[in-house]
Amino acid sequence: MDESKIPILVGCGQITQREEDPNIALSPMDLTSQACFEAAKDTEVGNKILEEIDTVLVIRSFSDTSWRFTCPFGKYHNPPMSLANRINAKNAHQYIYTHAGGNMPQWSVNKLCDLISKGEVKTALIAGGESLYTQKKAQRLGLQLDWNESPGGELTEWGINRKGWSDIEYKHGMKGAIYAYPLIENAIRGKEKRTILEHNKEMGRILAKFSNIAKNNPLADRQKGYTAEEISDVNALNPYIGFPYTKLMNANAFIDQAASIILTNVKHAKKIGIPREKWVYLHGCADAYDHWHLSDRINYYSSPAMNISCKEALEMANCNIEDINFFDIYSCFPSAIKIACDEMGIDINTNKGLTVTGGLPYFGGPGNNYVTHSISEIMNKVRNAPGTKGLITANGNYITKQSIGIYCSEEPMKNFFVKDPNLYQKHIDKLNGPKVTSNPNGNATIETYTVINDRKGPSFSILFGRMDDGSRFIANTPKSKSLLIDMMSNDYLDVKGTVLSNNKLNTFIPN
């Protein structure tokens, strides 16, 4: 094989900042640059590898992603160039900023490895970071920070620039992950035929294993090591956010974390003296996506995209799921873990463990960049145990965009070649859900639902329902506090009632 076209990962670095004074704490870009220096150090050739970089890719910040995290302290107008300037990547000529999605770190590794194998990229850097803890604290204290930067230059954007919700979904309040995933979770509960209490305990049991890993990870944000009961019990310190999720079941976004990885080819790694024991190969990968809007899904407890992308990645890696030694399953919410395990044929009770970091609720959920941390941890795992394999799942939107990577320190037996995702994406696209009606009126049944809580308690509900003819609709219930409380205490799945539409704002009234 032509060594100049064999892609490898050669460096990884991570930073978790715990500075309490926002005036001293590193800005998001400064924190990210420190992770890059750690990745350079990890290669054992030091900062000279940064001068070799031709492609700088920055994972999109949450402040550029969601209204919930908008930064009041300015904006990085060309993040990859700002980062290149900080790390002296003076030979960089390609500057990339991704679109939103937790899938984008793995998607970017897949893409860059493909470009390296084609000789179009020689040395690349992927990095991202958030200082949302510092941002939030500075806002609370009324401080003014200067995080505005305009270095000029041009950048390229990678990924898909598209909202994760439809207009009618947004109109009914489903405008982010904390509104969408609870709908998915309750559908899973219905499929598993559990009571609300039984399912809460099951979620707590699964997540306690993640929390236990975070307990022993010095980079993790929450290191308490919560028990299953502490995670699942609903109380003043652990209230429902989006029913059935308690506070400790949610991804923890308000943290200061950054991570970076460096990629090159075998020939160049040899030339600049990166030791062989630092090399990690991408043996298998795949990318796919389910129907973009939840309204269009065949159901709310499966992911054809996850199923197919896993099979494609395993086929490329010439292995089976039983051959995987380490996993990091994307864990923004329990439903993401459950669906991934079901679709990939993983025993959710496996002794191998489902995370190497501690997961997004406990290690930390630094925006779109969490999986850069996952990859860094998996790199170290397979380096320390030659011949073992590690599998990453990366998830964007609402069980929508799926990306998978399989890593190993041993060289693959064949040239790196990625199948065109369009070849299998077309099969997913054909899996259409029921007809969606925007103006439902008449008898109906709840398919799945959630109750969104604020600091005062239950605020409003969102539900998907079915008309008698099988068509699907989205709706809210009346904002009766007693009704909302009852919906969190008693099972409203399959409850019958009447839906009324007024200017495409739908209201479901239980019988």
Side-chain angles (χ1 to χ4, degrees), residues 250-507:
N250 284 251
N252 182 23
F254 288 102
I255 53 173
D256 292 1
Q257 287 182 325
S260 177
I261 52 180
I262 298 172
L263 305 88
T264 189
N265 62 65
V266 166
K267 182 178 180 179
H268 194 60
K270 287 181 176 180
K271 179 182 177 182
I272 61 177
I274 299 174
R276 174 64 183 81
E277 59 267 22
K278 290 292 181 180
W279 303 359
V280 174
Y281 298 85
L282 181 63
H283 276 222
C285 63
D287 297 281
Y289 56 89
D290 285 308
H291 284 291
W292 212 258
H293 302 141
L294 283 185
S295 298
D296 298 323
R297 303 283 174 86
I298 54 173
N299 58 55
Y300 298 121
Y301 48 79
S302 69
S303 171
M306 171 61 75
N307 183 285
I308 288 178
S309 57
C310 177
K311 289 178 180 177
E312 293 292 338
L314 289 169
E315 180 180 341
M316 179 178 170
N318 193 31
C319 67
N320 299 311
I321 199 70
E322 292 79 15
D323 299 323
I324 303 299
N325 305 92
F326 307 105
F327 293 98
D328 201 74
I329 304 299
Y330 200 85
S331 52
C332 52
F333 297 94
S335 54
I337 305 168
K338 171 63 174 171
I339 289 176
C341 288
D342 285 353
E343 298 293 1
M344 299 170 71
I346 301 170
D347 181 358
I348 203 165
N349 299 306
T350 177
N351 292 327
K352 291 181 180 180
L354 300 175
T355 180
V356 292
T357 67
L360 284 91
Y362 314 110
F363 170 80
N368 301 307
N369 194 54
Y370 166 78
V371 169
T372 313
H373 292 271
S374 299
I375 296 168
S376 297
E377 293 286 350
I378 285 288
M379 285 177 66
N380 289 325
K381 290 289 187 183
V382 299
R383 282 167 167 175
N384 293 333
T388 58
K389 292 182 173 67
L391 184 148
I392 297 284
T393 71
N395 169 41
N397 285 11
Y398 319 129
I399 315 289
T400 309
K401 298 179 284 187
Q402 304 296 336
S403 188
I404 293 184
I406 299 173
Y407 296 88
C408 184
S409 64
E410 290 188 349
E411 184 175 352
M413 299 300 293
K414 57 185 179 181
N415 286 325
F416 186 89
F417 175 77
V418 180
K419 183 188 292 188
D420 180 358
N422 291 319
L423 295 175
Y424 46 87
Q425 183 63 50
K426 60 185 179 182
H427 299 295
I428 302 170
D429 294 342
K430 293 177 181 178
L431 300 173
N432 295 315
K435 176 185 175 183
V436 177
T437 178
S438 57
N439 294 287
N441 285 282
N443 297 328
T445 305
I446 294 178
E447 184 176 8
T448 188
Y449 71 101
T450 182
V451 177
I452 304 302
N453 290 249
D454 57 26
R455 293 184 179 181
K456 295 180 181 179
S459 177
F460 67 98
S461 70
I462 308 171
L463 63 89
F464 282 108
R466 295 292 191 94
M467 304 299 293
D468 287 347
D469 64 2
S471 61
R472 176 182 284 157
F473 63 90
I474 188 169
N476 307 118
T477 60
K479 289 188 177 181
S480 160
K481 191 165 185 178
S482 61
L483 172 60
L484 297 176
I485 290 172
D486 196 55
M487 292 174 74
M488 296 187 294
S489 305
N490 296 296
D491 191 356
Y492 272 64
L493 292 174
D494 297 323
V495 161
K496 296 184 180 301
T498 303
V499 62
L500 305 172
S501 182
N502 181 12
N503 193 26
K504 295 188 179 179
L505 187 62
N506 308 324
T507 302

Side-chain angles (χ1 to χ4, degrees), residues 6-205:
I6 302 175
I8 49 175
L9 289 73
V10 294
C12 59
Q14 302 180 73
I15 298 285
T16 296
Q17 176 172 250
R18 296 185 173 88
E19 175 56 57
E20 291 297 327
D21 185 350
N23 290 305
I24 299 174
L26 295 175
S27 69
M29 194 57 67
D30 289 334
L31 192 67
T32 303
S33 68
Q34 291 302 306
C36 295
F37 290 127
E38 290 294 318
K41 180 180 178 182
D42 182 59
T43 67
E44 294 192 9
V45 300
N47 289 350
K48 74 176 184 179
I49 186 67
L50 301 177
E51 299 179 11
E52 301 282 337
I53 291 167
D54 55 67
T55 301
V56 176
L57 182 148
V58 173
I59 302 298
R60 195 173 198 86
S61 71
F62 250 20
S63 60
D64 288 342
T65 299
S66 170
W67 57 272
R68 294 181 61 231
F69 304 101
T70 300
C71 180
F73 305 128
K75 177 182 176 65
Y76 296 107
H77 294 271
N78 188 334
M81 183 164 285
S82 288
L83 182 61
N85 291 340
R86 280 170 170 76
I87 64 175
N88 195 31
K90 58 186 179 182
N91 290 310
H93 56 79
Q94 184 171 205
Y95 302 95
I96 301 166
Y97 194 43
T98 71
H99 288 300
N103 62 309
M104 288 310 296
Q106 184 59 56
W107 189 97
S108 298
V109 169
N110 299 349
K111 176 73 171 177
L112 285 169
C113 283
D114 187 39
L115 293 175
I116 290 171
S117 74
K118 295 174 179 176
E120 298 177 25
V121 169
K122 185 169 69 175
T123 305
L125 176 140
I126 297 173
E130 301 283 353
S131 294
L132 287 171
Y133 176 81
T134 294
Q135 175 181 314
K136 187 174 183 179
K137 187 164 188 179
Q139 288 177 272
R140 285 177 173 173
L141 295 174
L143 301 176
Q144 290 298 317
L145 305 177
D146 184 7
W147 290 354
N148 193 69
E149 198 165 306
S150 301
E154 301 291 328
L155 60 79
T156 301
E157 292 182 295
W158 277 6
I160 301 174
N161 184 22
R162 186 181 178 188
K163 293 184 299 183
W165 55 78
S166 67
D167 290 342
I168 194 167
E169 288 172 346
Y170 183 85
K171 193 170 185 177
H172 288 84
M174 203 193 76
K175 51 188 177 181
I178 61 172
Y179 309 99
Y181 278 91
L183 291 161
I184 297 170
E185 190 68 58
N186 270 320
I188 292 172
R189 177 173 63 80
K191 175 178 178 287
E192 299 290 321
K193 301 186 185 307
R194 295 194 187 107
T195 66
I196 292 171
L197 181 60
E198 288 170 344
H199 196 70
N200 273 23
K201 289 182 176 180
E202 175 68 5
M203 291 188 292
R205 187 185 64 79

